[in-house]
């Protein structure tokens, strides 16, 4: 899972819609990919990013985006760093935790498992 | 209709019943046949390919029920996130270098009002009640931005092109699993690049097989080759069906819904 994918994600639970993000990321294994920098791609994508999620994870991968993100959107060095973080960083193993309900989701072999158990899905019916 | 296409379980009376039906007659079957499915499903439909190729650079979207990921790499200039409830499909897609996660189509792990586009190809017909089909479509619409486009396709009950004739919308469709792709034979997993497979789910003829109410795995023989037979549940769509489903979902409109090669291709815009 790339950081760009992570940035769009939220807790799977219905009760967490609107508040289950950004998920807290614990990364125990990551991989650096080698996709060529695409200026147009990153520029068009920027308005779609959740900056709270980006700020939270950048230091984990030793990427310094600086304090003034809004002021650097035309700065190519900044855009290259951002591209490296969101497109060329892949989480292989780790854990995602919901900020609202604390549900943990595990990432194995690059794939987060976001499925709920049957008893979690039908929680409301039982109660 | 051939006996083998008849539903072999009671009609789901609750959402939980439906969840159990889909789990044993769709999800578990796909997990078993995933490697074989991947070796036969590499062609992309032109309508879907065209939709993806016309997207602007830098857009972000989702493929709900991505299967073996055949649409995930069509347009390299967009970020397309695949998900499937079957972990084997997520694994196959991930191994191809695509973004794939394991998630339930009814509980998508994405923020609301986020994506520029979404696709869900030949997935919605595997939900077993009207309410769950509405819920699955509503869940995709939730994750779209206002103005975002959703392309959803389903098999139609008229199967002229596939050469089948169904007289009921709820059917079981057999899959003949070649022994080499059987997950019970792990040593053969490396052969999954074989594209010479002759089976598809439309030219099956397993009348001689001893099929019963179990989810499958019975052995049948065809042309001297032994197969394991598995049946997947389908709800085949009819004219006006997408219109009825989307009528239940406020805040979106159908732009176009065409029947092509026994598939309904429905384009929806979130308002
Ligand atoms: Zn949560």
């Amino acid at each position: 899972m790339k950081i760009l994918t992570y940035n769009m994600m939220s807790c799977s639970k219905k009760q967490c819609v609107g508040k289950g993000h950004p998920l807290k990321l614990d990364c125990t294994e990551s991989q650096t990919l080698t996709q060529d920098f695409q200026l147009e791609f990153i520029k068009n994508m920027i308005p779609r990013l959740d900056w709270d999620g980006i700020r939270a994870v950048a230091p984990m991968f030793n990427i310094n985006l600086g304090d003034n993100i809004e002021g650097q959107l035309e700065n190519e060095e900044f855009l290259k760093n951002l591209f490296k973080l969101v497109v060329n960083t892949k989480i292989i193993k780790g854990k995602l935790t919901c900020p609202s309900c604390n549900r943990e989701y595990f990432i194995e072999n690059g794939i987060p498992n976001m499925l709920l158990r049957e008893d979690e899905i039908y929680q409301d019916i039982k109660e | 209709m051939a006996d083998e296409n008849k539903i072999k379980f009671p009609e789901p009376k609750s959402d939980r019943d439906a969840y159990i039906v889909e789990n044993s007659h769709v999800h578990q079957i796909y997990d078993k046949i995933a490697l074989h499915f991947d070796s036969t499903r590499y062609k992309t439909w032109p309508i879907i390919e065209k939709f993806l190729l016309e997207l602007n650079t830098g857009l972000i979207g989702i493929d709900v029920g991505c299967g073996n990921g055949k649409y995930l790499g069509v347009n390299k200039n967009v970020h397309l996130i695949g998900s499937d409830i079957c972990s084997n499909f997520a694994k196959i897609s991930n191994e191809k270098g695509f973004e794939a996660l394991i998630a339930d189509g009814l509980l998508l792990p994405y923020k609301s009002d986020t994506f520029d586009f979404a696709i869900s190809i030949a997935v919605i017909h595997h939900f077993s009640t009207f309410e769950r089909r509405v819920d699955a479509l509503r869940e995709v619409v939730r994750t779209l931005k206002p103005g975002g486009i959703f392309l959803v396709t389903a098999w139609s009950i008229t199967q002229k092109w596939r050469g089948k004739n169904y007289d009921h919308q709820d059917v079981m469709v057999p899959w003949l699993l070649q022994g080499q792709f059987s997950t019970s034979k792990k040593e053969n997993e490396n052969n999954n690049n074989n594209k010479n497979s002759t089976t598809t789910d439309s030219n099956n003829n397993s009348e001689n097989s001893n099929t019963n109410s179990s989810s499958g795995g019975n052995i049948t023989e065809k042309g001297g080759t032994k197969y394991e037979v598995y049946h997947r549940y389908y709800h085949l769509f009819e004219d006006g069906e997408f219109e009825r489903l989307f009528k239940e979902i406020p805040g979106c409109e159908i732009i176009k819904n065409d029947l092509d090669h026994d598939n309904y291709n429905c384009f929806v815009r979130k308002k």
Side-chain angles (χ1 to χ4, degrees):
Chain A
M1 177 186 58
K2 296 178 183 182
I3 296 296
L4 184 48
T5 298
Y6 157 75
N7 197 253
M8 304 293 132
M9 289 172 70
S10 175
C11 181
S12 299
K13 291 195 178 183
K14 281 260 182 279
Q15 70 193 56
C16 296
V17 168
K19 51 188 178 176
H21 65 87
L23 295 162
K24 182 178 169 285
L25 172 66
D26 289 293
C27 177
T28 49
E29 189 188 339
S30 66
Q31 189 188 349
T32 302
L33 307 175
T34 54
Q35 204 175 306
D36 290 338
F37 177 64
Q38 295 164 274
L39 183 65
E40 194 191 349
F41 176 86
I42 196 88
K43 276 193 154 179
N44 290 350
M45 196 204 61
I46 275 181
R48 296 162 170 82
L49 291 177
D50 172 16
W51 290 107
D52 288 343
I54 295 292
R55 279 193 200 92
V57 299
M60 280 184 216
F61 304 98
N62 299 316
I63 291 175
N64 184 7
L65 296 173
D67 299 327
N68 175 22
I69 283 174
E70 286 74 13
Q72 299 188 79
L73 302 178
E74 296 295 322
N75 174 349
E76 190 156 327
E77 202 50 43
F78 169 83
L79 295 175
K80 280 184 175 165
N81 270 331
L82 185 63
F83 188 85
K84 189 179 171 199
L85 176 67
V86 300
V87 177
N88 276 333
T89 307
K90 183 171 172 170
I91 315 298
I92 304 298
K93 199 172 163 63
K95 190 175 79 175
L96 299 166
T97 308
C98 174
S100 177
C101 73
N102 293 318
R103 169 64 151 94
E104 294 180 338
Y105 301 92
F106 290 90
I107 306 163
E108 295 280 351
N109 302 312
I111 305 169
N113 184 345
M114 304 306 292
L115 291 182
L116 300 180
R117 295 186 314 271
E118 192 180 337
D119 63 291
E120 291 175 293
I121 298 173
Y122 293 102
Q123 206 173 14
D124 299 340
I125 294 172
K126 263 199 268 177
E127 278 163 4
Chain B
M1 182 165 69
D3 194 46
E4 64 168 358
N5 297 123
K6 283 194 181 129
I7 298 287
K8 291 152 182 103
F9 48 83
E11 195 186 322
K13 293 276 184 272
S14 68
D15 192 70
R16 196 177 198 141
D17 284 355
Y19 168 90
I20 293 164
V21 160
E22 291 159 20
N23 192 36
S24 51
H25 297 281
V26 180
H27 311 154
Q28 287 179 20
I29 305 300
Y30 275 115
D31 256 338
K32 286 201 183 90
I33 70 173
L35 286 175
H36 188 200
F37 183 95
D38 182 37
S39 77
T40 64
R41 300 307 161 96
Y42 44 90
K43 264 192 232 154
T44 54
W45 286 103
I47 289 173
I48 298 151
E49 204 173 275
K50 182 170 178 283
F51 171 74
L52 291 171
L53 288 170
E54 285 173 358
L55 296 165
N56 290 334
T57 296
L59 295 188
I60 303 182
I62 51 172
D63 180 353
V64 178
C66 65
N68 63 339
K70 69 176 175 177
Y71 293 106
L72 297 179
V74 168
N75 184 345
K76 309 277 185 217
N77 296 320
V78 300
H79 186 71
L80 180 49
I81 305 166
S83 70
D84 208 288
I85 199 165
C86 300
S87 56
N88 280 340
F89 276 145
K91 197 171 155 225
I92 287 168
S93 298
N94 180 65
E95 280 167 0
K96 292 175 181 173
F98 302 135
E99 291 292 278
L101 33 102
I102 308 168
D104 186 336
L106 294 169
L107 298 159
L108 292 176
Y110 306 120
K111 295 182 291 177
S112 304
D113 305 311
T114 295
F115 297 110
D116 300 292
F117 68 96
I119 61 172
S120 185
I121 309 305
V123 175
I124 192 70
H125 52 222
H126 288 309
F127 289 96
S128 59
T129 66
F130 177 81
E131 290 75 19
R132 286 169 71 84
R133 291 186 280 277
V134 171
D135 287 346
L137 298 173
R138 186 190 289 118
E139 182 64 345
V140 176
V141 171
R142 174 185 71 79
T143 69
L144 281 180
K145 275 186 185 168
I149 305 289
F150 177 23
L151 167 56
V152 53
T153 80
W155 278 21
S156 79
I157 190 161
T158 55
Q159 294 276 316
K160 292 191 190 94
W161 183 73
R162 289 192 180 91
K164 294 287 274 187
N165 182 28
Y166 297 108
D167 56 10
H168 197 275
Q169 281 191 272
D170 294 285
V171 296
M172 302 303 282
V173 177
W175 181 278
L176 299 189
L177 180 67
Q178 281 180 325
Q180 70 186 102
F181 296 104
S182 174
T183 43
S184 54
K185 291 173 187 163
K186 293 275 183 210
E187 71 275 14
N188 285 325
E189 271 189 10
N190 293 332
N191 293 338
N192 66 4
N193 289 324
N194 179 7
K195 305 273 194 216
N196 299 323
S197 166
T198 54
T199 62
T200 70
D201 42 357
S202 57
N203 65 357
N204 270 279
N205 181 0
S206 52
E207 279 159 28
N208 298 325
S209 68
N210 176 27
T211 54
N212 56 31
S213 62
S214 76
S215 61
N218 295 293
I219 305 295
T220 190
E221 210 171 310
K222 190 180 160 189
T225 309
K226 278 188 178 158
Y227 298 93
E228 293 169 38
V229 188
Y230 290 97
H231 291 86
R232 291 160 296 157
Y233 165 81
Y234 277 75
H235 171 82
L236 303 170
F237 274 51
E238 58 181 16
D239 278 348
E241 189 148 358
F242 268 124
E243 286 77 2
R244 284 199 296 280
L245 292 166
F246 279 107
K247 219 178 126 191
E248 303 290 319
I249 307 169
C252 66
E253 59 187 348
I254 294 180
I255 309 165
K256 197 168 72 165
N257 182 20
D258 296 329
L259 181 58
D260 173 67
H261 287 85
D262 305 333
N263 292 301
Y264 287 100
N265 301 295
C266 186
F267 293 79
V268 176
R269 183 192 290 118
K270 182 167 177 175
K271 288 180 192 167

